[in-house]
Coordinates of all heavy atoms in Angstrom, one line a residue:
M30 N 42.0 2.8 30.7 CA 40.9 2.1 31.4 C 40.8 2.5 32.9 O 41.8 2.8 33.5 CB 41.3 0.6 31.4 CG 41.2 -0.1 30.1 SD 39.6 -0.3 29.4 CE 39.1 -1.8 30.1
A31 N 39.6 2.6 33.4 CA 39.4 2.9 34.8 C 39.2 1.5 35.5 O 39.0 0.5 34.9 CB 38.1 3.7 34.9
E32 N 39.3 1.5 36.8 CA 39.1 0.3 37.5 C 38.2 0.5 38.8 O 38.3 1.6 39.4 CB 40.3 -0.4 37.9 CG 41.6 0.3 37.9 CD 42.8 -0.6 38.2 OE1 43.2 -1.4 37.4 OE2 43.3 -0.4 39.4
V33 N 37.4 -0.5 39.1 CA 36.6 -0.5 40.3 C 37.0 -1.7 41.1 O 36.9 -2.8 40.7 CB 35.1 -0.5 40.0 CG1 34.3 -0.5 41.3 CG2 34.7 0.6 39.0
E34 N 37.5 -1.5 42.4 CA 37.7 -2.6 43.3 C 36.5 -2.8 44.2 O 36.0 -1.8 44.8 CB 39.0 -2.2 44.2 CG 39.3 -3.3 45.2 CD 40.5 -3.0 46.1 OE1 41.3 -2.2 45.7 OE2 40.5 -3.6 47.2
I35 N 36.0 -4.0 44.2 CA 34.9 -4.3 45.0 C 35.4 -5.1 46.2 O 35.8 -6.2 46.1 CB 33.8 -5.2 44.2 CG1 33.3 -4.4 43.0 CG2 32.6 -5.5 45.1 CD1 34.0 -4.7 41.7
K36 N 35.4 -4.4 47.3 CA 36.1 -5.0 48.5 C 35.4 -6.4 48.9 O 36.1 -7.3 49.3 CB 36.1 -4.0 49.7 CG 37.0 -2.9 49.5 CD 37.2 -2.1 50.7 CE 38.2 -2.8 51.6 NZ 39.0 -1.9 52.4
N37 N 34.1 -6.4 48.8 CA 33.4 -7.7 49.2 C 33.9 -8.9 48.4 O 33.8 -10.0 48.9 CB 31.9 -7.5 49.0 CG 31.4 -6.3 49.7 OD1 31.7 -5.2 49.3 ND2 30.6 -6.5 50.8
D38 N 34.3 -8.6 47.2 CA 34.7 -9.7 46.3 C 36.2 -9.9 46.3 O 36.7 -10.8 45.6 CB 34.3 -9.4 44.8 CG 32.8 -9.4 44.7 OD1 32.0 -9.9 45.6 OD2 32.3 -8.8 43.7
S39 N 37.0 -9.0 46.9 CA 38.4 -9.0 46.8 C 38.8 -9.0 45.3 O 39.6 -9.8 44.9 CB 39.1 -10.1 47.5 OG 38.7 -10.1 48.9
K40 N 38.2 -8.1 44.5 CA 38.3 -8.2 43.1 C 38.3 -6.8 42.5 O 37.6 -5.9 43.0 CB 37.1 -9.0 42.6 CG 36.9 -9.1 41.1 CD 35.7 -9.9 40.8 CE 35.5 -10.2 39.4 NZ 34.3 -11.0 39.1
T41 N 39.1 -6.6 41.4 CA 39.1 -5.4 40.7 C 38.6 -5.6 39.2 O 39.0 -6.5 38.6 CB 40.5 -4.7 40.7 OG1 40.9 -4.5 42.0 CG2 40.5 -3.4 39.9
V42 N 37.6 -4.8 38.8 CA 37.1 -4.9 37.4 C 37.5 -3.7 36.6 O 37.3 -2.6 37.1 CB 35.5 -5.0 37.5 CG1 34.9 -5.1 36.1 CG2 35.1 -6.2 38.3
K43 N 38.0 -3.9 35.4 CA 38.4 -2.8 34.6 C 37.2 -2.4 33.7 O 36.5 -3.3 33.2 CB 39.6 -3.2 33.7 CG 40.9 -3.4 34.5 CD 42.0 -3.7 33.5 CE 43.3 -4.0 34.2 NZ 43.9 -2.9 35.0
V44 N 37.0 -1.1 33.5 CA 35.9 -0.6 32.7 C 36.5 0.6 31.9 O 37.5 1.2 32.3 CB 34.7 -0.1 33.5 CG1 34.0 -1.3 34.2 CG2 35.1 1.0 34.5
A45 N 35.9 0.9 30.8 CA 36.4 2.0 29.9 C 36.1 3.3 30.7 O 35.2 3.5 31.4 CB 35.6 2.0 28.6
D46 N 37.1 4.3 30.5 CA 36.9 5.6 31.1 C 35.5 6.1 30.6 O 35.2 6.0 29.4 CB 38.0 6.5 30.6 CG 39.4 6.2 31.1 OD1 39.4 5.4 32.1 OD2 40.4 6.8 30.6
G47 N 34.8 6.8 31.5 CA 33.5 7.4 31.1 C 32.4 6.4 31.1 O 31.3 6.8 30.8
S48 N 32.6 5.1 31.5 CA 31.5 4.2 31.5 C 30.5 4.3 32.6 O 30.9 4.7 33.7 CB 31.9 2.7 31.4 OG 33.2 2.5 31.6
L49 N 29.3 3.9 32.4 CA 28.3 3.7 33.4 C 28.6 2.5 34.2 O 28.9 1.4 33.6 CB 27.0 3.6 32.7 CG 25.7 3.7 33.5 CD1 25.6 5.1 34.0 CD2 24.5 3.5 32.5
L50 N 28.6 2.6 35.5 CA 29.0 1.4 36.3 C 28.0 0.3 36.3 O 28.2 -0.7 36.9 CB 29.4 1.9 37.7 CG 30.6 2.8 37.8 CD1 31.0 3.1 39.2 CD2 31.8 2.1 37.1
A51 N 26.9 0.4 35.6 CA 26.0 -0.7 35.4 C 26.7 -1.8 34.7 O 26.3 -3.0 34.7 CB 24.8 -0.2 34.6
E52 N 27.9 -1.4 34.0 CA 28.7 -2.4 33.4 C 29.2 -3.5 34.3 O 29.7 -4.5 33.9 CB 29.9 -1.7 32.7 CG 29.6 -1.2 31.4 CD 30.9 -0.9 30.6 OE1 31.9 -1.6 30.7 OE2 30.9 0.1 29.8
L53 N 29.2 -3.2 35.6 CA 29.7 -4.1 36.6 C 28.7 -5.3 36.8 O 29.1 -6.3 37.4 CB 29.9 -3.5 38.0 CG 31.0 -2.4 38.0 CD1 30.9 -1.7 39.4 CD2 32.3 -3.0 37.8
D54 N 27.5 -5.2 36.3 CA 26.5 -6.2 36.4 C 27.0 -7.5 35.8 O 27.4 -7.6 34.7 CB 25.2 -5.8 35.8 CG 24.1 -6.7 36.1 OD1 24.2 -7.5 37.1 OD2 23.1 -6.7 35.3
G55 N 27.0 -8.6 36.6 CA 27.5 -9.9 36.2 C 29.0 -10.1 36.3 O 29.5 -11.2 36.1
K56 N 29.7 -9.0 36.7 CA 31.2 -9.1 36.8 C 31.6 -9.1 38.3 O 32.8 -9.1 38.6 CB 31.8 -8.0 36.0 CG 31.5 -8.1 34.5 CD 32.1 -6.9 33.8 CE 31.8 -6.9 32.3 NZ 32.0 -5.7 31.6
C57 N 30.6 -8.9 39.2 CA 30.9 -8.8 40.6 C 29.6 -9.2 41.3 O 28.6 -9.4 40.7 CB 31.4 -7.4 41.0 SG 30.2 -6.1 40.8
S58 N 29.7 -9.1 42.7 CA 28.5 -9.5 43.5 C 27.6 -8.4 43.8 O 26.6 -8.6 44.5 CB 29.0 -10.2 44.8 OG 29.7 -9.2 45.5
I59 N 27.8 -7.2 43.3 CA 26.9 -6.1 43.5 C 25.6 -6.5 42.8 O 25.6 -6.9 41.7 CB 27.4 -4.8 42.9 CG1 28.6 -4.3 43.7 CG2 26.3 -3.7 43.0 CD1 29.4 -3.1 43.1
L60 N 24.5 -6.4 43.5 CA 23.2 -6.8 43.0 C 22.5 -5.7 42.2 O 22.1 -4.7 42.8 CB 22.3 -7.2 44.2 CG 21.0 -7.9 43.8 CD1 21.2 -9.2 43.1 CD2 20.2 -8.1 45.1
F61 N 22.3 -5.9 41.0 CA 21.7 -4.9 40.1 C 20.3 -5.4 39.8 O 20.1 -6.5 39.3 CB 22.4 -4.7 38.8 CG 23.7 -3.9 39.0 CD1 24.9 -4.6 39.2 CD2 23.8 -2.5 38.9 CE1 26.1 -4.0 39.3 CE2 25.0 -1.9 39.0 CZ 26.1 -2.6 39.2
A62 N 19.3 -4.6 40.1 CA 17.9 -5.0 39.8 C 17.3 -4.1 38.8 O 17.2 -4.4 37.6 CB 17.1 -5.0 41.1
C63 N 16.9 -2.9 39.2 CA 16.2 -2.0 38.3 C 17.1 -1.4 37.2 O 16.6 -1.0 36.1 CB 15.4 -0.9 39.0 SG 16.6 0.4 39.8
K64 N 18.3 -1.1 37.5 CA 19.3 -0.4 36.7 C 18.7 1.0 36.3 O 19.0 1.4 35.2 CB 19.7 -1.2 35.5 CG 20.5 -2.4 35.8 CD 21.0 -3.0 34.5 CE 21.9 -4.2 34.7 NZ 22.3 -4.8 33.5
A65 N 17.9 1.5 37.1 CA 17.4 2.8 36.8 C 17.4 3.8 38.0 O 16.8 4.8 38.0 CB 15.9 2.7 36.4
G66 N 18.2 3.4 39.0 CA 18.3 4.3 40.2 C 17.1 4.4 41.1 O 17.0 5.3 41.9
S67 N 16.2 3.4 40.9 CA 14.9 3.5 41.7 C 14.7 2.4 42.7 O 13.7 2.4 43.4 CB 13.7 3.5 40.7 OG 13.7 2.4 39.9
C68 N 15.6 1.4 42.8 CA 15.3 0.3 43.8 C 16.3 0.3 44.9 O 16.0 -0.3 46.0 CB 15.3 -1.1 43.1 SG 16.9 -1.7 42.6
G69 N 17.5 0.8 44.7 CA 18.5 0.9 45.8 C 19.3 -0.4 46.0 O 20.2 -0.5 46.8
S70 N 19.0 -1.4 45.2 CA 19.7 -2.7 45.4 C 21.2 -2.6 45.1 O 22.0 -3.3 45.7 CB 19.1 -3.8 44.5 OG 19.5 -3.6 43.2
C71 N 21.7 -1.7 44.3 CA 23.1 -1.7 43.9 C 23.9 -0.7 44.8 O 25.1 -0.5 44.5 CB 23.2 -1.3 42.4 SG 22.7 0.5 42.1
K72 N 23.2 -0.1 45.7 CA 23.9 0.9 46.5 C 25.2 0.5 47.1 O 25.3 -0.6 47.7 CB 23.0 1.4 47.7 CG 23.5 2.5 48.5 CD 22.5 3.0 49.5 CE 22.5 2.0 50.7 NZ 21.7 2.4 51.8
V73 N 26.2 1.3 47.0 CA 27.6 1.0 47.5 C 28.1 2.2 48.3 O 27.7 3.3 48.1 CB 28.6 0.6 46.4 CG1 28.2 -0.7 45.7 CG2 28.8 1.8 45.4
K74 N 29.0 1.9 49.2 CA 29.8 2.9 49.9 C 31.1 3.1 49.1 O 31.8 2.1 48.8 CB 30.0 2.5 51.3 CG 30.9 3.5 52.1 CD 31.1 3.0 53.5 CE 32.0 4.1 54.2 NZ 32.3 3.7 55.6
V75 N 31.4 4.3 48.8 CA 32.7 4.6 48.1 C 33.8 4.8 49.2 O 33.7 5.7 50.0 CB 32.6 5.8 47.2 CG1 34.0 6.1 46.6 CG2 31.6 5.6 46.1
V76 N 34.7 3.8 49.2 CA 35.8 3.8 50.2 C 36.9 4.8 49.8 O 37.4 5.5 50.7 CB 36.4 2.4 50.4 CG1 37.5 2.4 51.4 CG2 35.3 1.4 50.8
S77 N 37.2 4.9 48.6 CA 38.1 5.8 48.1 C 37.9 6.1 46.6 O 37.3 5.2 45.9 CB 39.6 5.4 48.3 OG 39.9 4.2 47.6
G78 N 38.3 7.2 46.1 CA 38.2 7.5 44.7 C 36.9 8.2 44.3 O 36.6 8.3 43.1
M79 N 36.2 8.8 45.2 CA 35.0 9.5 44.9 C 35.2 10.6 43.8 O 34.4 10.8 43.0 CB 34.4 10.1 46.1 CG 33.0 10.8 45.9 SD 31.7 9.7 45.5 CE 31.1 9.3 47.2
E80 N 36.4 11.2 43.9 CA 36.8 12.2 42.9 C 36.8 11.7 41.5 O 36.8 12.4 40.5 CB 38.1 12.9 43.3 CG 39.3 12.0 43.1 CD 39.6 11.1 44.3 OE1 38.7 10.9 45.2 OE2 40.7 10.5 44.3
N81 N 36.9 10.4 41.3 CA 36.9 9.8 40.0 C 35.6 9.4 39.4 O 35.5 8.9 38.3 CB 37.8 8.5 40.0 CG 39.3 8.9 40.3 OD1 39.7 9.9 39.9 ND2 40.0 8.0 40.9
L82 N 34.5 9.7 40.2 CA 33.2 9.5 39.7 C 32.5 10.8 39.3 O 32.8 11.9 40.0 CB 32.3 8.9 40.9 CG 32.7 7.5 41.3 CD1 31.9 7.1 42.5 CD2 32.6 6.5 40.2
E83 N 31.7 10.8 38.3 CA 31.0 12.0 37.9 C 30.0 12.3 39.1 O 29.5 11.4 39.8 CB 30.2 11.8 36.6 CG 31.2 11.8 35.5 CD 30.5 11.9 34.1 OE1 29.3 12.0 34.1 OE2 31.2 11.8 33.1
A84 N 29.6 13.6 39.2 CA 28.7 14.0 40.2 C 27.3 13.3 39.9 O 27.0 13.0 38.8 CB 28.5 15.5 40.2
P85 N 26.6 13.0 41.0 CA 25.3 12.3 40.8 C 24.3 13.1 39.9 O 24.2 14.3 40.1 CB 24.7 12.2 42.2 CG 25.9 12.3 43.1 CD 26.9 13.2 42.4
N86 N 23.7 12.5 38.9 CA 22.7 13.2 38.1 C 21.4 13.2 38.9 O 21.3 12.8 40.0 CB 22.6 12.5 36.7 CG 22.1 11.1 36.8 OD1 21.5 10.7 37.9 ND2 22.3 10.3 35.8
D87 N 20.4 13.8 38.3 CA 19.1 14.0 39.0 C 18.5 12.7 39.4 O 18.0 12.6 40.5 CB 18.1 14.8 38.1 CG 18.5 16.2 37.8 OD1 19.4 16.7 38.6 OD2 17.9 16.8 37.0
I88 N 18.6 11.7 38.5 CA 18.0 10.3 38.9 C 18.8 9.7 40.1 O 18.1 9.2 41.0 CB 18.1 9.4 37.6 CG1 17.2 9.9 36.5 CG2 17.8 8.0 38.0 CD1 17.4 9.2 35.2
E89 N 20.1 9.8 40.1 CA 20.8 9.2 41.2 C 20.6 10.0 42.5 O 20.4 9.5 43.5 CB 22.3 9.2 40.9 CG 23.1 8.5 42.0 CD 24.6 8.3 41.7 OE1 25.1 8.9 40.7 OE2 25.3 7.7 42.5
Q90 N 20.5 11.3 42.3 CA 20.2 12.2 43.5 C 18.9 11.8 44.2 O 18.8 11.7 45.4 CB 20.2 13.6 43.2 CG 21.6 14.2 43.0 CD 21.6 15.7 42.6 OE1 20.7 16.4 43.0 NE2 22.6 16.1 41.9
A91 N 17.9 11.5 43.3 CA 16.6 11.2 43.8 C 16.7 9.8 44.5 O 16.1 9.6 45.6 CB 15.6 11.1 42.7
G92 N 17.4 8.8 43.9 CA 17.5 7.5 44.5 C 18.3 7.6 45.8 O 17.9 6.9 46.8
L93 N 19.4 8.3 45.8 CA 20.2 8.4 47.1 C 19.3 9.1 48.2 O 19.5 8.8 49.3 CB 21.5 9.2 46.8 CG 22.5 8.5 46.0 CD1 23.6 9.4 45.6 CD2 23.1 7.3 46.7
A94 N 18.5 10.0 47.8 CA 17.7 10.7 48.8 C 16.7 9.7 49.4 O 16.4 9.8 50.6 CB 16.9 11.9 48.2
T95 N 16.3 8.7 48.6 CA 15.4 7.7 49.1 C 16.1 6.6 49.9 O 15.6 6.2 50.9 CB 14.6 7.1 47.9 OG1 13.9 8.1 47.2 CG2 13.6 6.0 48.4
F96 N 17.2 6.1 49.3 CA 17.8 4.9 49.9 C 19.1 5.2 50.6 O 19.7 4.3 51.2 CB 18.1 3.9 48.7 CG 16.9 3.5 48.0 CD1 16.8 4.0 46.7 CD2 15.9 2.7 48.5 CE1 15.6 3.6 45.9 CE2 14.8 2.4 47.8 CZ 14.6 2.9 46.5
G97 N 19.7 6.3 50.4 CA 21.0 6.7 51.0 C 20.9 7.7 52.2 O 20.1 7.5 53.1
G98 N 21.6 8.7 52.1 CA 21.7 9.6 53.1 C 23.1 9.9 53.5 O 23.5 11.0 54.0
D99 N 24.0 8.9 53.3 CA 25.4 9.1 53.6 C 26.1 9.6 52.3 O 25.9 9.0 51.3 CB 26.0 7.7 54.0 CG 27.4 7.8 54.4 OD1 28.2 8.5 53.8 OD2 27.8 7.1 55.4
P100 N 26.8 10.7 52.4 CA 27.5 11.3 51.2 C 28.5 10.4 50.6 O 28.9 10.6 49.4 CB 28.1 12.6 51.7 CG 28.1 12.5 53.2 CD 27.1 11.5 53.6
T101 N 28.9 9.3 51.2 CA 29.8 8.3 50.6 C 29.1 7.3 49.8 O 29.8 6.4 49.2 CB 30.7 7.6 51.7 OG1 29.9 6.8 52.5 CG2 31.5 8.6 52.5
E102 N 27.8 7.3 49.8 CA 27.0 6.3 49.0 C 26.7 6.7 47.6 O 26.5 7.9 47.3 CB 25.7 5.9 49.8 CG 26.0 5.3 51.1 CD 24.8 5.0 51.9 OE1 23.7 5.7 51.7 OE2 24.8 4.2 52.8
R103 N 26.8 5.7 46.7 CA 26.4 5.9 45.3 C 25.6 4.8 44.8 O 25.6 3.7 45.3 CB 27.7 6.1 44.5 CG 28.6 7.3 44.8 CD 27.9 8.6 44.6 NE 27.5 8.9 43.3 CZ 28.3 9.6 42.4 NH1 29.4 10.1 42.8 NH2 27.9 9.8 41.2
L104 N 24.9 5.0 43.7 CA 24.2 4.0 43.0 C 24.9 3.7 41.6 O 24.7 4.4 40.7 CB 22.7 4.5 42.7 CG 21.9 4.8 44.0 CD1 20.6 5.4 43.6 CD2 21.7 3.5 44.8
P105 N 25.7 2.6 41.6 CA 26.5 2.4 40.4 C 25.7 2.2 39.1 O 26.2 2.5 38.0 CB 27.3 1.1 40.7 CG 26.9 0.7 42.1 CD 26.0 1.7 42.7
C106 N 24.4 1.8 39.2 CA 23.6 1.6 38.0 C 23.4 2.9 37.2 O 23.2 2.8 36.0 CB 22.3 0.9 38.3 SG 21.1 1.9 39.1
V107 N 23.5 4.0 37.9 CA 23.3 5.3 37.2 C 24.4 6.2 37.4 O 24.3 7.5 37.2 CB 21.9 5.9 37.6 CG1 20.7 5.2 37.1 CG2 21.8 6.1 39.1
C108 N 25.6 5.7 37.7 CA 26.8 6.5 38.0 C 27.9 6.2 37.0 O 28.1 5.1 36.7 CB 27.2 6.1 39.4 SG 28.7 6.8 40.0
K109 N 28.5 7.3 36.6 CA 29.6 7.1 35.6 C 31.0 7.3 36.3 O 31.1 8.2 37.1 CB 29.5 8.1 34.5 CG 28.4 7.7 33.5 CD 28.5 8.6 32.3 CE 27.4 8.2 31.3 NZ 27.4 9.2 30.1
I110 N 32.0 6.5 35.9 CA 33.3 6.7 36.3 C 34.0 7.6 35.3 O 33.8 7.4 34.1 CB 34.0 5.4 36.6 CG1 35.4 5.5 37.3 CG2 34.2 4.6 35.3 CD1 36.0 4.2 37.8
K111 N 34.8 8.5 35.8 CA 35.6 9.4 34.8 C 36.8 8.7 34.4 O 37.1 8.5 33.2 CB 35.9 10.7 35.5 CG 34.7 11.6 35.8 CD 35.1 12.9 36.3 CE 35.4 12.9 37.8 NZ 35.5 14.3 38.4
K112 N 37.7 8.3 35.3 CA 38.9 7.6 35.1 C 39.5 7.2 36.4 O 39.0 7.5 37.5 CB 39.9 8.5 34.3 CG 40.2 9.7 35.1 CD 41.2 10.7 34.4 CE 41.5 11.9 35.3 NZ 42.5 12.7 34.7
G113 N 40.6 6.5 36.4 CA 41.3 6.2 37.6 C 40.7 5.0 38.4 O 40.0 4.2 37.8
K114 N 40.9 5.0 39.7 CA 40.4 3.8 40.5 C 39.4 4.3 41.5 O 39.6 5.3 42.1 CB 41.6 3.1 41.1 CG 41.2 1.9 41.9 CD 42.4 1.2 42.4 CE 42.0 -0.1 43.2 NZ 43.2 -0.9 43.6
V115 N 38.4 3.5 41.7 CA 37.4 3.7 42.7 C 37.3 2.4 43.5 O 37.3 1.3 43.0 CB 36.0 4.0 42.1 CG1 35.0 4.2 43.2 CG2 36.1 5.3 41.3
V116 N 37.3 2.5 44.9 CA 37.1 1.3 45.7 C 35.8 1.4 46.4 O 35.4 2.5 47.0 CB 38.3 1.3 46.8 CG1 38.1 0.1 47.7 CG2 39.6 1.2 46.1
V117 N 35.0 0.3 46.3 CA 33.6 0.3 46.9 C 33.4 -0.9 47.7 O 34.1 -1.9 47.6 CB 32.5 0.4 45.8 CG1 32.7 1.6 44.9 CG2 32.5 -0.9 44.9
E118 N 32.4 -0.8 48.6 CA 32.0 -1.9 49.4 C 30.5 -1.7 49.6 O 30.0 -0.6 49.5 CB 32.7 -2.1 50.7 CG 32.5 -0.9 51.7 CD 33.3 -1.1 52.9 OE1 34.2 -1.9 53.0 OE2 33.1 -0.3 53.9
Y119 N 29.8 -2.8 50.0 CA 28.4 -2.7 50.3 C 28.0 -3.5 51.5 O 28.8 -4.2 52.0 CB 27.5 -3.1 49.1 CG 27.8 -4.5 48.6 CD1 27.0 -5.6 49.2 CD2 28.8 -4.9 47.7 CE1 27.3 -6.9 48.8 CE2 29.0 -6.2 47.3 CZ 28.3 -7.2 47.9 OH 28.5 -8.5 47.5
Ligands
FES14 S1 19.9 -1.3 40.4 FE1 18.2 -0.3 41.3 S2 19.1 1.5 42.1 FE2 20.7 0.5 41.1

């Protein structure tokens, strides 16, 4: 199992290795709206563990270009965790 610590919630959520982080919806305070990488509501800053996330796909890259700009930012709705632990905040 992989885990995501959401600093704003002081909480860690376990997810299956290889899962899409849209699975966090309803399990933490990250706000998921479109779940398609197009609204920016779920944007988080990766505090540690970026190496445990898959590289952004084309959809996430397009969303980050619109709503992000900081290389530490990701869109969990379209981002997959490989394994291990990732710490995020928003
Ligand atoms: S929920 Fe819209 S970009 Fe993630």
Side-chain angles (χ1 to χ4, degrees):
M30 292 290 272
E32 17 181 73
V33 182
E34 178 182 338
I35 301 96
K36 291 192 78 150
N37 307 67
D38 297 343
S39 301
K40 174 180 185 178
T41 299
V42 178
K43 291 185 186 294
V44 295
D46 291 348
S48 9
L49 194 61
L50 292 183
E52 277 197 34
L53 296 173
D54 189 18
K56 298 175 183 167
C57 68
S58 63
I59 296 171
L60 188 64
F61 289 89
C63 72
K64 290 191 181 174
S67 60
C68 74
S70 71
C71 69
K72 185 177 75 176
V73 295
K74 176 181 179 181
V75 177
V76 177
S77 66
M79 184 69 91
E80 69 277 10
N81 293 329
L82 296 175
E83 289 191 0
N86 61 21
D87 291 348
I88 292 170
E89 187 177 4
Q90 283 181 26
L93 288 170
T95 304
F96 305 109
D99 185 320
T101 65
E102 292 175 338
R103 298 296 299 265
L104 298 174
C106 70
V107 288
C108 172
K109 285 186 178 177
I110 189 167
K111 293 189 277 192
K112 60 181 181 173
K114 182 172 183 175
V115 177
V116 179
V117 303
E118 66 184 9
Y119 59 90

